[in-house]
Amino acid sequence: MGRVLVISASMGAGHEGAARELARRVGARGAEAVVVDFLDAFPAALARLWRSFYLFQLRAMPESYERTYQLFYRHPRLWGPFVRFERSLSGARTLAWVETLRPDVVVSTYSFATLVVGRLREEGLITVPAVNFLTDFAVHPRAVHPAVDLNLAIHPVAAENARRQVDGRVLAVGPAVDPAFGPSAEARAATRAWLGVPAERPLVLIVAGSWGIGDIPGTVAPLVADGRFSVVTVCGRDERLRRRLEERGLGRVLGWTDRMPAILAAADVVVENAGGLTSLEAFATGVPVVSYRPIPGHGRDNIASMRRAGVTTVPGSDEELVAAVDRLARPGPERSAQLAAAAALFSADPVDPILDLAAARAAVVTRSP
């Protein structure tokens, strides 16, 4: 059935989570998948600097990240030079992966990798089909390339956003979420017992992504102060954030954990700030999402599109946050509508069009003399 090269990046859990799940599904369907990290295509010192600066910018200078993010919207002529620069740094290693692995399809789950793959396809150096798997609801101009054969979006709103940026083929196929995420009465009961949450008490799960970005204390505080909820915050790999919350007595605080499927199954509402991977996992689990204090750049962009899609509630103040959580934690029309909109994302398997391309390419190679 062919071989698929998946290019991800260790720049947050969303890109890596999608890549792993796509590869798992490809393998489960009898094809072969290999996942590589796009940062490995760069000189090691430069890759470390790039990742460190990105994290520093998000934490210490978030509005500067917003200005950088908006730059390509305001000045699209910068797109060409930027792509050429990225290609000059990472093109040789990317081509080496393709030449060594000889895939039938190349799939990118990371925007900058998409740009480089698209450029190499445009130059005729990558001759197999290229697929851009868009992990976000928002689609930035630097997340697409006209030479990519197929763009896969996680929702029709995301597909519409992609079509504004590129003339290529775009399909709305839904997200790639690990099947470990789903409703489970057993996991719900066991996890609530572990956390010490009574069965009848609403459990609000606050997430900060794998890097703990954003004003998480400012989100946790009003929910804890209200007193009606059990509040659990997952801080990712940010130990400083975990200590700050613990020192202030702001609910139950967890660091990096591999128990997220069970924790989500135990939750009644998820509060997040970027529209990232945990939002998609909450959708798969059947837990409503509230997006509050969105982080600059892709966070604000994502959440605006999620709101249009009807899969999140976006309060504008602490009082609205508490009220939204209270409404969504209980059965009612608002909760039902959001959960129905979220469940609709999972009506298709995103690997179907990838494997179709791989099979078609493999068949052509087999027939060649």
Side-chain angles (χ1 to χ4, degrees):
M1 291 186 63
R3 178 180 296 153
V4 179
L5 170 62
V6 185
I7 306 178
S8 181
S10 51
M11 296 286 280
H15 312 292
E16 294 178 294
R20 285 194 304 270
E21 179 57 19
L22 290 172
R24 188 199 65 79
R25 294 189 189 196
V26 167
R29 300 274 287 274
E32 180 183 357
V34 177
V35 180
V36 296
D37 186 341
F38 185 60
L39 293 192
D40 291 339
F42 293 82
L46 179 59
R48 287 194 297 271
L49 178 63
W50 178 15
R51 188 174 184 273
S52 297
F53 178 74
Y54 176 56
L55 180 55
F56 172 77
Q57 192 177 31
L58 285 174
R59 284 181 173 164
M61 302 185 299
E63 292 306 322
S64 76
Y65 174 64
E66 173 73 21
R67 289 191 292 273
T68 303
Y69 183 88
Q70 294 295 337
L71 189 63
F72 286 82
Y73 280 118
R74 296 194 304 269
H75 303 287
R77 286 180 297 179
L78 294 173
W79 188 88
F82 179 81
V83 175
R84 289 192 292 273
F85 175 68
E86 287 286 306
R87 185 256 186 266
S88 70
L89 292 172
S90 60
R93 184 67 183 275
T94 304
L95 277 176
W97 287 328
V98 174
E99 291 165 0
T100 300
L101 298 171
R102 301 180 65 83
D104 296 294
V105 176
V106 177
V107 179
S108 168
T109 66
Y110 181 57
S111 58
F112 291 167
T114 296
L115 298 180
V116 172
V117 169
R119 178 70 179 181
L120 295 171
R121 186 107 170 89
E122 191 174 51
E123 294 172 6
L125 297 175
I126 290 180
T127 58
V128 300
V131 177
N132 179 21
F133 188 82
L134 296 157
T135 59
D136 287 343
F137 277 79
V139 180
H140 191 270
R142 68 184 183 194
V144 293
H145 193 286
V148 166
D149 299 84
L150 177 62
N151 298 276
L152 300 180
I154 61 175
H155 187 276
V157 167
E160 178 187 333
N161 290 337
R163 293 185 186 105
R164 293 195 185 100
Q165 308 297 343
V166 71
D167 292 329
R169 187 178 175 214
V170 180
L171 297 177
V173 295
V177 175
D178 188 324
F181 291 92
S184 170
E186 182 180 354
R188 178 179 175 86
T191 304
R192 290 172 76 94
W194 169 59
L195 293 170
V197 179
E200 69 282 359
R201 187 172 174 84
L203 193 163
V204 181
L205 178 64
I206 299 175
V207 295
S210 60
W211 286 352
I213 302 299
D215 183 6
I216 304 304
T219 298
V220 178
L223 292 168
V224 171
D226 182 77
R228 287 177 291 173
F229 317 112
S230 290
V231 180
V232 176
T233 305
V234 178
C235 300
R237 301 191 186 278
D238 191 337
E239 285 298 300
R240 185 174 61 177
L241 172 62
R242 183 180 63 81
R243 288 192 299 270
R244 286 173 62 199
L245 294 175
E246 287 178 339
E247 289 166 0
R248 292 177 58 181
L250 291 177
R252 180 71 178 267
V253 186
L254 303 175
W256 184 261
T257 176
D258 59 2
R259 301 177 69 164
M260 282 303 294
I263 293 170
L264 276 168
D268 295 293
V269 179
V270 167
V271 180
E272 62 85 43
N273 64 5
L277 178 63
T278 307
S279 298
L280 303 177
E281 293 166 347
F283 299 157
T285 308
V287 181
V289 170
V290 173
S291 301
Y292 190 55
R293 297 179 181 264
I295 66 173
H298 64 277
R300 293 173 182 169
D301 219 2
N302 262 343
I303 287 168
S305 288
M306 288 169 62
R307 190 177 200 170
R308 285 174 50 212
V311 296
T312 192
T313 298
V314 187
S317 66
D318 289 354
E319 293 76 15
E320 290 181 13
L321 168 66
V322 172
V325 167
D326 182 49
R327 292 194 310 273
L328 289 169
R330 296 175 281 104
E334 185 176 350
R335 180 185 173 95
S336 296
Q338 192 191 115
L339 293 182
L345 270 74
F346 301 95
S347 60
D349 190 334
V351 302
D352 284 344
I354 295 171
L355 291 177
D356 288 345
L357 286 174
R361 171 69 184 181
V364 168
V365 172
T366 300
R367 289 196 301 267
S368 299

